[in-house]
Amino acid sequence: MTTSLPWRPFETLRREFDRLLEDMDRSFFGRGAEAGDDAFWRRAIDWRISPSVDVLERDKAYEITAELAGVEPKDIEISVANGVVTLRASKSAETEHKDAEHFVRERQFGRYERSFGLPADVDAEHIEAHLHNGVLRLVLPRRADAVADRRTITVKAA
């Protein structure tokens, strides 16, 4: 017979929050991190985890916007299959600074993938994507017949 420990989500949250504050204290206030510690700022800006995404429902289309700063159009792949639209993006950048006393080279890279189930009224053949100033905007138009069939139901008091 195995006994399981009770689930205590708030204790886990408290421990993670305490760890976050300790990391901030070490990273931002110059106390230094012990060997093997991963600094707060490295985890907090990990692009691969979650670029911001918004989904909007409009009268004639749905819109998905994703913040993909530093990503080139050639590094974005959007596919539609089996009622799902999938966004894949990869980012890589290298910067180098040299002067008489310093040499700094930094590399940044990451991969992102996110999928969204398509509502039944989306016209998948006419989906458009636009990238402007690091913001990707997907427009998923509704089928004309689905927009015309929509109506509002009035709720009556019983």
Side-chain angles (χ1 to χ4, degrees), residues 43-118:
R43 284 195 312 272
I45 63 169
D46 191 350
W47 181 79
R48 295 170 295 170
I49 293 173
S50 61
S52 296
V53 174
D54 293 319
V55 179
L56 298 170
E57 180 179 2
R58 304 223 186 256
D59 287 335
K60 296 186 178 187
Y62 298 94
E63 292 181 17
I64 299 173
T65 57
E67 293 182 18
L68 301 175
V71 178
E72 299 294 323
K74 67 180 178 56
D75 296 324
I76 300 172
E77 176 189 330
I78 301 166
S79 61
V80 178
N82 301 320
V84 176
V85 63
T86 301
L87 163 64
R88 292 180 186 89
S90 59
K91 175 178 170 176
S92 62
E94 183 172 332
T95 59
E96 190 173 291
H97 173 75
K98 291 185 200 181
D99 62 28
E101 299 173 10
H102 302 91
F103 176 78
V104 177
R105 177 180 290 158
E106 294 183 347
R107 292 175 191 87
Q108 185 180 47
F109 59 92
R111 182 149 175 75
Y112 173 70
E113 181 174 323
R114 181 99 185 250
S115 296
F116 302 89
L118 294 176

Side-chain angles (χ1 to χ4, degrees), residues 114-126:
R114 181 99 185 250
S115 296
F116 302 89
L118 294 176
D121 62 345
V122 168
D123 182 357
E125 296 297 319
H126 294 97

